[in-house]
């Protein structure tokens, strides 16, 4: 069964390894690097059809270094990820439909607007390079919005609202997974293409990175996607351990709120320090599919795995009318 996974942090791992290579002499290859949960071979083994690759620039980096770090990760996306003959760059959402039988689609995304600061020329350049999903923040505040870890809990700035409008114009997802509550609700008013690329249900795990029932229902009303994340800390309260059964409880809860056609998968592979038992890397996706098939119909499982995403792609699926 095909898998569409809307979040991983392989590019950051590749960048760190590249910067350290001069001192350690140990290169990290996307093809088969054991340190990568989402290396090419593991994506193949897991049946991943489309993998989203996030560019993440840590907010604590000096401002004058952030754009360089961003470009380094984009360069690795082009050289390492797209350097594999069977990996195809998804530059437009329709490209998914033209993937060959053995090809894997690669989507470039941005996790946090820190990379471009207040320079919308840089943002437009990222669109040209292929960014198709953009989260305004990581956990902290920046020039666009407050994240879930910012104590004041502010919403979008004027710049943040401009970025959402630009996302709409370019058929780019606006990702709510790291936003403060206030920023989330403002995105709901503005975004044509909302997505929670890697979030779970706060009702089951009271972590600020998860969405509460009111937010979840709002996402469904706006025709948004919520892609469950495999980080144990976001699955079980105050725990670094979780099973596939624990993860399925979040899918059950989302379905109970009317989200059967709005649920997807956003592993956060390569961005987590602990793994769900049985989901240690992308090659283990068949374990999740097998567990889902014991609980849901084949059509429902295909929906969670890939069809729900295909139906809600920007410019493909139905958008919410604000009129």
């Amino acid at each position: 069964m095909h898998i569409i996974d809307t979040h991983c942090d392989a590019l950051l791992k590749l960048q760190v390894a590249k910067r350290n290579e001069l001192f350690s002499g140990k290169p990290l290859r996307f093809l088969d690097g054991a340190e990568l949960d989402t290396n090419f071979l593991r994506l193949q083994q897991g049946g991943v059809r489309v993998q989203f690759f996030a560019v993440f620039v840590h907010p604590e980096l000096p401002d004058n270094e952030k754009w360089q770090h961003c470009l380094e990760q984009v360069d690795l996306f082009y050289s390492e990820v797209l350097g594999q003959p069977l990996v195809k760059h998804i530059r437009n959402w329709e490209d998914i439909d033209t993937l060959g039988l053995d090809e894997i689609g690669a989507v470039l995304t941005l996790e946090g607007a820190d990379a471009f600061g207040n320079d919308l020329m840089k943002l437009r350049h990222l669109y040209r390079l292929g960014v198709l999903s953009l989260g305004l923040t990581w956990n902290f505040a920046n020039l666009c919005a407050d994240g879930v870890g910012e104590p004041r809990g502010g919403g979008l700035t004027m710049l943040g609202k401009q970025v959402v409008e630009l996302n709409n114009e370019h058929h780019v997802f606006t990702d709510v997974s790291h936003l403060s509550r206030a920023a989330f609700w403002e995105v709901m008013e503005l975004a044509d293409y909302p997505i929670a690329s890697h979030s779970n249900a706060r009702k089951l795990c009271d972590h600020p990175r998860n969405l509460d029932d009111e937010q979840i229902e709002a996402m469904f009303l706006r025709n948004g996607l919520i892609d469950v994340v495999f980080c144990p800390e976001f699955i079980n309260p105050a725990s670094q351990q979780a099973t596939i059964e624990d993860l399925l409880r979040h899918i059950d809860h989302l379905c109970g709120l009317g989200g059967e056609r709005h649920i997807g998968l956003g592993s956060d592979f390569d961005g987590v320090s602990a793994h769900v038992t049985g989901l240690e890397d992308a090659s283990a996706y068949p374990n999740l599919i097998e567990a889902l098939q014991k609980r849901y119909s084949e059509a429902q499982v295909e929906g969670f795995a890939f069809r729900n995403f295909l139906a809600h792609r920007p410019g493909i699926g139905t958008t919410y009318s604000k009129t």
Side-chain angles (χ1 to χ4, degrees):
M1 183 176 296
H2 292 327
I3 301 292
I4 295 178
D5 182 338
T6 57
H7 191 82
C8 84
D9 284 296
L11 297 181
L12 179 61
K13 276 190 176 179
L14 286 166
Q15 183 200 22
V16 170
K18 184 74 171 178
R19 282 178 162 246
N20 290 339
E21 187 177 333
L22 179 64
F23 304 99
S24 68
K26 296 179 181 178
L28 179 58
R29 302 194 310 170
F30 173 68
L31 171 64
D32 57 2
E35 298 91 337
L36 287 177
D37 301 336
T38 51
N39 70 38
F40 175 74
L41 295 182
R42 285 171 171 164
L43 293 175
Q44 267 193 330
Q45 292 162 6
V48 176
R49 183 65 161 169
V50 178
Q51 179 66 58
F52 284 43
F53 292 87
V55 172
F56 172 66
V57 175
H58 202 286
E60 293 185 2
L61 283 170
D63 286 346
N64 63 347
E65 295 183 19
K66 290 178 178 178
W67 183 240
Q68 175 66 27
H69 278 252
C70 171
L71 292 183
E72 286 178 14
Q73 290 182 41
V74 173
D75 184 66
L76 286 163
F77 176 78
Y78 275 83
S79 62
E80 280 288 318
V81 177
L82 300 182
Q84 298 303 315
L86 290 177
V87 176
K88 178 179 179 181
H89 190 186
I90 304 301
R91 298 189 65 93
N92 300 289
W93 296 114
E94 296 87 347
D95 291 342
I96 296 174
D97 301 324
T98 65
L99 286 171
L101 184 63
D102 297 321
E103 289 181 325
I104 296 173
V107 178
L108 186 63
T109 77
L110 184 65
E111 185 174 25
D114 301 81
F116 60 84
N118 66 347
D119 190 340
L120 294 180
M121 180 185 70
K122 290 179 178 176
L123 174 58
R124 289 190 290 270
H125 187 56
L126 290 173
Y127 290 144
R128 295 183 192 108
L129 288 169
V131 165
L132 290 179
S133 181
L134 190 155
L136 296 173
T137 69
W138 186 54
N139 291 335
F140 308 128
N142 59 27
L143 296 177
C144 284
D146 279 9
V148 296
E150 178 60 42
R152 67 183 172 183
L156 302 183
T157 64
M158 291 299 293
L159 175 66
K161 293 176 181 179
Q162 280 184 278
V163 172
V164 175
E165 293 292 350
L166 283 170
N167 285 347
N168 293 343
E169 290 176 24
H170 288 83
H171 288 180
V172 168
F173 280 118
T174 297
D175 190 352
V176 303
S177 279
H178 282 275
L179 286 177
S180 68
R181 283 184 57 84
F184 171 91
W185 288 112
E186 292 186 354
V187 165
M188 287 297 97
E189 291 296 318
L190 295 172
D192 288 341
Y193 310 110
I195 190 173
S197 69
H198 54 308
S199 290
N200 288 337
R202 193 159 185 174
K203 183 83 169 181
L204 301 183
C205 182
D206 188 15
H207 191 286
R209 274 279 286 98
N210 288 336
L211 301 176
D212 65 32
D213 286 359
E214 187 180 12
Q215 291 174 304
I216 290 167
E217 290 173 342
M219 285 288 288
F220 296 159
L221 285 172
R222 289 297 312 276
N223 212 35
L225 287 159
I226 297 178
D227 298 333
V228 294
V229 59
F230 302 172
C231 178
E233 188 178 357
F234 306 153
I235 297 171
N236 289 330
S239 176
Q240 287 295 315
Q241 295 183 328
T243 65
I244 291 176
E245 181 66 23
D246 295 328
L247 177 63
L248 295 192
R249 291 189 301 115
H250 287 264
I251 294 177
D252 294 343
H253 185 75
L254 294 173
C255 284
L257 294 174
E260 178 186 325
R261 298 183 182 277
H262 298 266
I263 298 168
L265 306 172
S267 66
D268 205 6
F269 280 141
D270 292 308
V272 294
S273 56
H275 294 87
V276 174
T277 302
L279 281 176
E280 287 79 11
D281 58 57
S283 70
Y285 259 118
N287 296 334
L288 175 60
I289 297 303
E290 182 180 358
L292 284 167
Q293 288 170 332
K294 293 177 180 177
R295 206 181 199 105
Y296 292 97
S297 71
E298 194 69 10
Q300 289 172 314
V301 176
E302 288 187 354
F304 304 150
F306 69 100
R307 291 198 188 280
N308 289 347
F309 179 88
L310 294 179
H312 292 84
R313 285 173 286 173
I316 303 291
T318 304
T319 59
Y320 173 85
S321 173
K322 297 190 283 289
T323 60

